Amino acid sequence: MAGRFPLYIDADVDGRVVKALEAAGWDVLRGIDAFPEKTPDLTHFVRAAQDARVLVSNDTDMLVLAEQSFVQGKSLAGLVWWPRSHYRRMSPGDFREAFEVLSRQDDPFASYPIVHVKLAR
């Protein structure tokens, strides 16, 4: 079923992207609002899974955790991930649009829980 999904945003995500998603009306929980600074990635990962929120990150450690979780058959609503280098070529609006495109898909995380954001053209 298409539609927006709740997000859990890792502290490494650029604040301008977070603001663009919030301004567009996305349900956003920032990791920094859930736990103190320097909380281990695994704690954030587990919280996102428990809350059935899609994790949003550009941290390679989160990508590894998601891949391990998938292989082990553990529950994960999904991960939207991109390399930090995308910030040089994509605006906050480009990232927001990538999320809007995902929200129009029936179930973007059904076959594989990790979605890689592609560079905007």
Side-chain angles (χ1 to χ4, degrees):
M1 180 170 159
R4 289 185 173 181
F5 35 85
L7 306 174
Y8 187 100
I9 308 226
D10 186 38
D12 292 326
V13 173
D14 187 298
R16 295 171 299 166
V17 173
V18 177
K19 287 179 182 175
L21 291 167
E22 289 174 329
W26 282 83
D27 176 0
V28 170
L29 173 60
R30 298 179 321 153
I32 195 69
D33 293 331
F35 295 101
E37 196 173 337
K38 300 199 189 286
T39 296
D41 288 339
L42 182 58
T43 301
H44 292 291
F45 187 86
V46 168
R47 172 71 185 268
Q50 287 174 340
D51 290 356
R53 287 180 173 270
V54 170
L55 184 59
V56 178
S57 183
N58 52 39
D59 181 346
T60 54
D61 293 338
M62 289 294 196
L63 181 59
V64 169
L65 286 170
E67 289 172 345
Q68 290 172 344
S69 178
F70 175 72
V71 168
Q72 295 169 358
K74 294 181 181 175
S75 177
L76 172 66
L79 169 68
V80 177
W81 188 90
W82 60 87
R84 290 183 180 132
S85 61
H86 280 19
Y87 290 124
R88 291 192 299 265
R89 298 199 33 214
M90 291 178 70
S91 72
D94 292 333
F95 286 101
R96 184 193 65 239
E97 182 56 28
F99 279 83
E100 296 296 345
V101 167
L102 284 173
S103 75
R104 292 190 289 268
Q105 295 177 20
D106 280 337
D107 189 350
F109 308 100
S111 61
Y112 188 62
I114 302 169
V115 172
H116 293 262
V117 172
K118 307 286 190 246
L119 283 173
R121 300 195 192 259

